Amino acid sequence: MKILKYNYSDLVCLNCGNIVTIQRKVGNARPVGHIKDLYCYKCLEVTKHYEVRDVSNFLYNYNVNKEEEVNVCKLILGRRKND
């Protein structure tokens, strides 16, 4: 019997900043910055989600030169203030 190994990835909704955690098989891992269409239960519609491995690690090590990563960090931090 083969044992499957999984990694966890966090997906950040680009509309509201909501964070969803999903499992991916180790061989099917996507790079940081992968955009996925996924249903957001806060927006109540299918939206674009930005993939990061770990949110806390991403916030600590984001690349200031990439505008896309800066915008995602602002979304995450703005959502945490409102919770």
Short mmCIF file of all heavy atoms in Angstrom, two decimals, residues 30-34 50-53 58 69:
data_model
loop_
_atom_site.label_atom_id
_atom_site.label_comp_id
_atom_site.label_asym_id
_atom_site.label_seq_id
_atom_site.Cartn_x
_atom_site.Cartn_y
_atom_site.Cartn_z
N ARG A 30 2.62 23.85 -6.25
CA ARG A 30 2.67 25.01 -7.14
C ARG A 30 3.60 26.07 -6.53
O ARG A 30 3.77 26.13 -5.32
CB ARG A 30 1.28 25.62 -7.32
CG ARG A 30 0.26 24.67 -7.87
CD ARG A 30 0.51 24.43 -9.35
NE ARG A 30 -0.56 23.67 -9.95
CZ ARG A 30 -0.51 22.38 -10.24
NH1 ARG A 30 0.58 21.70 -9.97
NH2 ARG A 30 -1.52 21.76 -10.80
N PRO A 31 4.19 26.91 -7.36
CA PRO A 31 5.09 27.94 -6.82
C PRO A 31 4.31 29.05 -6.11
O PRO A 31 3.12 29.23 -6.34
CB PRO A 31 5.78 28.49 -8.08
CG PRO A 31 4.83 28.22 -9.18
CD PRO A 31 4.12 26.94 -8.82
N VAL A 32 5.01 29.77 -5.27
CA VAL A 32 4.41 30.93 -4.61
C VAL A 32 4.03 31.94 -5.69
O VAL A 32 4.80 32.22 -6.59
CB VAL A 32 5.40 31.55 -3.60
CG1 VAL A 32 4.85 32.86 -3.05
CG2 VAL A 32 5.69 30.58 -2.48
N GLY A 33 2.81 32.43 -5.61
CA GLY A 33 2.34 33.38 -6.61
C GLY A 33 1.39 32.75 -7.61
O GLY A 33 0.84 33.44 -8.45
N HIS A 34 1.19 31.45 -7.51
CA HIS A 34 0.25 30.78 -8.41
C HIS A 34 -1.15 31.33 -8.16
O HIS A 34 -1.57 31.47 -7.01
CB HIS A 34 0.29 29.27 -8.16
CG HIS A 34 -0.71 28.49 -8.92
ND1 HIS A 34 -0.60 28.25 -10.27
CD2 HIS A 34 -1.84 27.87 -8.53
CE1 HIS A 34 -1.62 27.54 -10.67
NE2 HIS A 34 -2.40 27.29 -9.63
N TYR A 50 -4.37 33.92 -4.41
CA TYR A 50 -2.91 33.95 -4.55
C TYR A 50 -2.34 32.89 -3.61
O TYR A 50 -2.63 32.88 -2.42
CB TYR A 50 -2.42 35.35 -4.16
CG TYR A 50 -0.97 35.62 -4.41
CD1 TYR A 50 -0.55 36.10 -5.64
CD2 TYR A 50 -0.01 35.41 -3.42
CE1 TYR A 50 0.78 36.38 -5.88
CE2 TYR A 50 1.32 35.68 -3.65
CZ TYR A 50 1.71 36.16 -4.88
OH TYR A 50 3.03 36.43 -5.11
N GLU A 51 -1.51 32.01 -4.14
CA GLU A 51 -0.99 30.90 -3.34
C GLU A 51 0.32 31.25 -2.66
O GLU A 51 1.24 31.78 -3.28
CB GLU A 51 -0.78 29.67 -4.22
CG GLU A 51 -0.35 28.46 -3.43
CD GLU A 51 -0.53 27.17 -4.19
OE1 GLU A 51 -1.20 27.16 -5.23
OE2 GLU A 51 0.00 26.17 -3.72
N VAL A 52 0.38 30.97 -1.37
CA VAL A 52 1.62 31.08 -0.58
C VAL A 52 1.76 29.80 0.21
O VAL A 52 0.79 29.09 0.44
CB VAL A 52 1.60 32.31 0.37
CG1 VAL A 52 1.53 33.60 -0.41
CG2 VAL A 52 0.46 32.24 1.35
N ARG A 53 2.96 29.46 0.62
CA ARG A 53 3.16 28.22 1.39
C ARG A 53 2.64 28.39 2.83
O ARG A 53 1.89 27.60 3.33
CB ARG A 53 4.63 27.85 1.44
CG ARG A 53 5.20 27.46 0.14
CD ARG A 53 4.86 26.01 -0.19
NE ARG A 53 5.42 25.68 -1.48
CZ ARG A 53 4.74 25.73 -2.61
NH1 ARG A 53 3.49 26.08 -2.61
NH2 ARG A 53 5.30 25.44 -3.74
N PHE A 58 5.43 34.09 4.74
CA PHE A 58 5.30 34.99 3.59
C PHE A 58 5.33 36.45 4.03
O PHE A 58 6.00 37.28 3.42
CB PHE A 58 4.01 34.68 2.84
CG PHE A 58 3.74 35.60 1.69
CD1 PHE A 58 4.45 35.48 0.51
CD2 PHE A 58 2.77 36.58 1.78
CE1 PHE A 58 4.21 36.33 -0.56
CE2 PHE A 58 2.51 37.42 0.72
CZ PHE A 58 3.23 37.30 -0.45
N GLU A 69 3.28 41.00 -4.56
CA GLU A 69 3.44 40.49 -3.20
C GLU A 69 3.14 41.55 -2.15
O GLU A 69 2.59 41.25 -1.10
CB GLU A 69 4.85 39.92 -3.01
CG GLU A 69 5.08 38.64 -3.78
CD GLU A 69 6.41 37.98 -3.48
OE1 GLU A 69 7.09 38.41 -2.51
OE2 GLU A 69 6.77 37.04 -4.19
#
